[in-house]
Amino acid sequence: MTAPNRPSTLDDTGPPESAAERRYAELAAASAAPLWRHYGNLFSPEPKSRAVPYLWRYAQLRPHAVHFSESLSLEDAERRVLMLVNPGLQDPPATLNSLFAGLQIIMPGESAQAHRHTANAFRFIIEGSGASTTVDGEPVPMRPGDLLLTPGWRWHDHTHNGDGPMIWLDGLDYPLVNALEAGFFEQYGERLQRHTRPAGSSTEQFIHGRLNPVWRGDRGHHSPVGNYPWTETERALAAIADDAEGSAFDGIALEYTNPWNGGPVMPTISCRVQRLRSGFSGRPHQHTANVIFHVVRGEGTTEVDGVRMDWADKDVFAVPAWSAYRHLNPSRSDAVLFAYSDEPVFRTLGLYRSRAGDD
Ligand code: 1HN
């Protein structure tokens, strides 16, 4: 859509060697450009993401993850991650404009060596038992449904001492950090960190709600919680009355919070869990934030700009910025989604906008 008073960007009809074209060529050679030839591309009436709505089926990707777990060692791969690459964002690869999603697999007896990066990361555990992540010296256990945080610049390594494959969803903001040219990365030097803090201590100290340990000095930008265990998440969902109204857009949606300030878990990423009751028919809306969903359980449909995505257990799907979407659960059981978005970035910068689709 072009506004009527917008200067045309297609003003290339004159003879190629006209005086005007020579002038434009001289400008380009001087590393300058005429704004009037770029206006329409730089300023559109509304955002239009290069990313497209997309659904990655777990049943299709899991066998590939297992294949590489049998054929590629963790000595040869820093991390054994299948990147979920949006067809509109292949170079550099990303899932949405500012966010990444990947499926990581690690096998019994393996370890992924310690490193750190300025990108913020989390893991949402999909299947397996017996693995753990060590974050700045604290071993953090991993169980299905747990949300583990690895905020920027924290040392982290993964080890698996259980049985069978361990698979989780990795969420990172590296597309944003790299776009800001703020990416730093460092190897620890030794394969694994020494354990310098009691296992699970950050979770135990903070998870019981509104009573924070006053002696801890880590009141930074990030939540200090290592692991938001699924047992607690499920209790919180179950505590909401069956006839509670919930959100017209997102159903019974709960945000994981930073206990220091009640805000999002990390400055660039907000994480939520949402229960869509059987029969839920969400109101359509759009917002400037990008959202990636993972199906914890159940099945349903999300319509995004007219594209229909029928999702099932453990699938991942992406809703690009400013696309109009709604969730539907016509199935006979409740569905539970884990969702993460870059909403805090938009709010902090004064760029958050939303519109209900039926307004
Ligand atoms: C990374 O460091 C991990 O530490 C997972 O487990 C996924 C994707 C892109 C870049 C770095 C990890 C990643 C990643």
Side-chain angles (χ1 to χ4, degrees):
M1 211 167 42
T2 324
N5 61 349
R6 177 149 296 152
S8 167
T9 55
L10 300 172
D11 190 19
D12 287 333
T13 46
E17 278 308 308
S18 69
E21 284 311 313
R22 277 199 303 280
R23 177 71 62 178
Y24 286 127
E26 281 170 28
L27 262 187
S31 298
L35 175 61
W36 55 95
R37 287 189 155 192
H38 291 275
Y39 221 90
N41 288 334
L42 292 177
F43 294 92
S44 58
E46 296 187 355
K48 180 73 196 90
S49 182
R50 287 181 300 129
V52 298
Y54 204 79
L55 169 69
W56 290 267
R57 293 192 189 284
Y58 192 71
Q60 186 183 5
L61 288 173
R62 190 184 186 281
H64 293 301
V66 170
H67 165 82
F68 285 107
S69 77
E70 290 161 352
S71 58
L72 174 73
S73 80
L74 276 188
E75 279 64 46
D76 293 331
E78 179 84 18
R79 295 291 191 266
R80 200 188 284 114
V81 176
L82 302 183
M83 306 172 78
L84 306 188
V85 182
N86 194 289
L89 298 175
Q90 309 222 14
D91 187 22
T95 310
L96 287 173
N97 191 44
S98 66
L99 293 173
F100 167 84
L103 295 175
Q104 180 159 176
I105 183 165
I106 174 167
M107 300 301 277
E110 287 188 324
S111 64
Q113 67 182 358
H115 68 202
R116 64 178 176 178
H117 34 69
T118 43
N120 293 291
F122 72 79
R123 343 247 154 237
F124 188 87
I125 312 305
I126 300 177
E127 58 170 290
S129 66
S132 68
T133 294
T134 300
V135 183
D136 272 359
E138 178 184 329
V140 185
M142 299 169 140
R143 286 155 310 226
D146 290 359
L147 171 66
L148 280 75
L149 303 185
T150 313
W153 215 235
R154 305 280 170 92
W155 295 113
H156 55 285
D157 56 69
H158 316 305
T159 54
H160 186 4
N161 297 316
D163 309 308
M166 189 86 204
I167 304 179
W168 62 79
L169 173 74
D170 283 309
L172 283 91
D173 61 5
Y174 82 74
L176 175 67
V177 173
N178 286 351
L180 295 172
E181 299 182 338
F184 293 80
F185 177 94
E186 197 176 0
Q187 296 288 5
Y188 187 65
E190 289 163 61
R191 188 158 184 89
L192 302 175
Q193 299 165 73
R194 256 178 300 271
H195 294 171
T196 54
R197 292 190 284 157
S201 52
S202 67
T203 303
E204 289 159 11
Q205 289 174 4
F206 285 98
I207 207 63
H208 296 294
R210 290 151 297 279
L211 292 164
N212 290 336
V214 297
W215 64 91
R216 288 189 54 137
D218 51 355
R219 292 177 193 240
H221 292 291
H222 317 102
S223 164
V225 177
N227 184 343
Y228 294 80
W230 180 249
T231 46
E232 298 292 331
T233 306
E234 193 144 56
R235 259 165 42 130
L237 280 174
I240 310 284
D242 275 341
D243 59 355
E245 194 183 349
S247 153
F249 309 111
D250 292 308
I252 305 299
L254 303 176
E255 184 181 12
Y256 296 84
T257 57
N258 174 345
W260 290 129
N261 58 18
V265 292
M266 295 187 285
T268 54
I269 303 178
S270 158
C271 293
R272 291 178 174 186
V273 65
Q274 56 189 93
R275 172 176 157 219
L276 307 179
R277 293 191 186 105
S278 170
F280 180 77
S281 176
R283 200 176 161 196
H285 69 152
Q286 60 192 148
H287 42 64
T288 45
N290 296 278
V291 194
I292 297 172
F293 294 92
H294 162 70
V295 184
V296 180
R297 62 167 177 254
E299 58 193 73
T301 298
T302 299
E303 293 171 354
V304 190
D305 282 344
V307 178
R308 190 190 148 111
M309 297 190 286
D310 296 319
W311 38 260
D313 226 25
K314 301 181 170 55
D315 289 349
V316 178
F317 59 98
V319 176
W322 205 244
S323 33
Y325 70 107
R326 67 171 174 154
H327 301 299
L328 304 159
N329 178 9
S331 82
R332 292 159 55 119
S333 337
D334 288 4
V336 177
L337 301 176
F338 170 80
Y340 63 107
S341 90
D342 52 9
E343 185 179 318
V345 177
F346 290 83
R347 291 207 182 271
T348 302
L349 300 180
L351 293 170
Y352 187 79
R353 284 207 201 190
S354 63
R355 185 162 73 192
D358 43 10
D359 272 1

